[in-house]
Amino acid sequence: SDLFLDPSVVSFLMHQCDEEDEDEMSDLRRAWELPQPTDVKNESAIQSKPNEIQKKRLFVPINDQYASSRKSFVIPGGGSHWSFLFWDISICQSSGTESNMVTSKFFHFDSSNGYNSRAAKTTSKKLQKVLVSSWGNAIGISSDDINLVECKTPQQTNGCDCGLFALGVAQALAFADKSSETPDASELEFIVHYYFDKIGDVKSFGTNLRKIIGDDIRSLIISECERTCNY
């Protein structure tokens, strides 16, 4: 299943969450519905579903201030650029912890090439730490052992459309094939570029997406008014 993380949740993880507090880490794992290890003591439960694959895709908005210190983060209105991080998790668990196979891969889409690379890397490490905290050494990776791919992304032509480009990437990847065990960067890049081409060229993309969002909001308002009037 897919989950879009609200920026305020990512902000909490980056700057307020105590990584040594297991209750906080557990709350995040449960809220995000991350794949959980089967109780290795219950061999019959594992053997009843051999090689079962647990998958999760998280959509994460990235802000350049995520890589800042706690002190600088409390300044209202901080940060100047948004990009998008796609996190794909696939875990196949067989009998015994040594048989756990995990793929944790991050794909970063930045409409201003490289601007948010540091923030994306810092955020990826934090996110993976939440995953690793529930599995311990059973998956053989650490929070610092991240697989992060910088993807080819349509580039904005001004200094104000970064948020719209990030939303566009999220919208495009919502339709990516969920059946493949590990997505390929070139496949995701093709999906993103195809979606952007449908909306318009990069110069008009922001304007066109604003119109689409505005039309959707108006339709929702009209539908809600009609629903209310029928009562």
Side-chain angles (χ1 to χ4, degrees):
S1 59
D2 298 341
L3 177 66
F4 190 96
L5 294 187
D6 187 280
S8 62
V9 176
V10 185
S11 299
F12 170 77
L13 171 68
M14 298 303 296
H15 301 284
Q16 283 83 43
C17 181
D18 184 352
E19 297 174 356
E20 305 304 321
D21 190 330
E22 175 53 31
D23 288 338
E24 286 188 350
M25 300 295 275
S26 177
D27 286 344
L28 290 175
R29 291 195 303 269
R30 185 167 52 253
W32 299 352
E33 298 181 349
L34 293 181
Q36 298 294 310
T38 306
D39 186 352
V40 295
K41 296 179 182 178
N42 189 352
E43 288 292 325
S44 61
I46 299 174
Q47 293 172 2
S48 65
K49 296 182 179 179
N51 301 321
E52 180 181 19
I53 296 178
Q54 301 181 68
K55 286 190 66 66
K56 189 71 178 183
R57 307 191 316 176
L58 281 82
F59 292 49
V60 187
I62 298 295
N63 188 280
D64 55 327
Q65 203 175 21
Y66 289 167
S68 303
S69 66
R70 291 191 181 193
K71 182 178 180 180
S72 63
F73 187 77
V74 300
I75 302 174
S80 60
H81 183 59
W82 290 100
S83 57
F84 181 81
L85 186 70
F86 179 80
W87 184 20
D88 182 89
I89 307 168
S90 180
I91 295 176
C92 177
Q93 183 174 12
S94 300
S95 177
T97 57
E98 294 81 6
S99 302
N100 294 321
M101 298 293 292
V102 62
T103 300
S104 173
K105 198 166 185 177
F106 298 89
F107 302 88
H108 184 222
F109 292 84
D110 191 342
S111 61
S112 183
N113 260 343
Y115 193 94
N116 268 0
S117 58
R118 177 170 170 257
K121 184 176 182 179
T122 304
T123 307
S124 297
K125 288 182 178 181
K126 289 270 192 174
L127 290 168
Q128 188 151 293
K129 185 158 189 174
V130 179
L131 174 67
V132 171
S133 66
S134 65
W135 288 82
N137 296 323
I139 53 178
I141 62 174
S142 69
S143 58
D144 293 325
D145 182 24
I146 61 170
N147 188 346
L148 173 62
V149 180
E150 289 287 343
C151 296
K152 297 177 182 177
T153 311
Q155 298 294 287
Q156 64 191 84
T157 57
N158 58 33
C160 59
D161 278 350
C162 57
L164 288 165
F165 272 63
L167 287 174
V169 173
Q171 177 71 12
L173 294 183
F175 299 102
D177 184 9
K178 302 177 185 179
S179 61
S180 58
E181 292 187 10
T182 304
D184 181 78
S186 61
E187 172 192 353
L188 298 180
E189 290 169 353
F190 174 82
I191 293 171
V192 168
H193 282 269
Y194 179 78
Y195 176 79
F196 273 66
D197 288 343
K198 284 178 59 179
I199 301 298
D201 59 51
V202 290
K203 290 184 177 181
S204 61
F205 179 83
T207 300
N208 293 342
L209 188 57
R210 283 187 181 91
K211 184 178 184 305
I212 292 173
I213 294 173
D215 290 343
D216 287 343
I217 292 174
R218 281 188 288 272
S219 296
L220 288 172
I221 292 174
I222 292 172
S223 297
E224 180 63 21
C225 289
E226 290 176 345
R227 186 189 67 83
T228 303
C229 291
N230 288 331
Y231 279 103

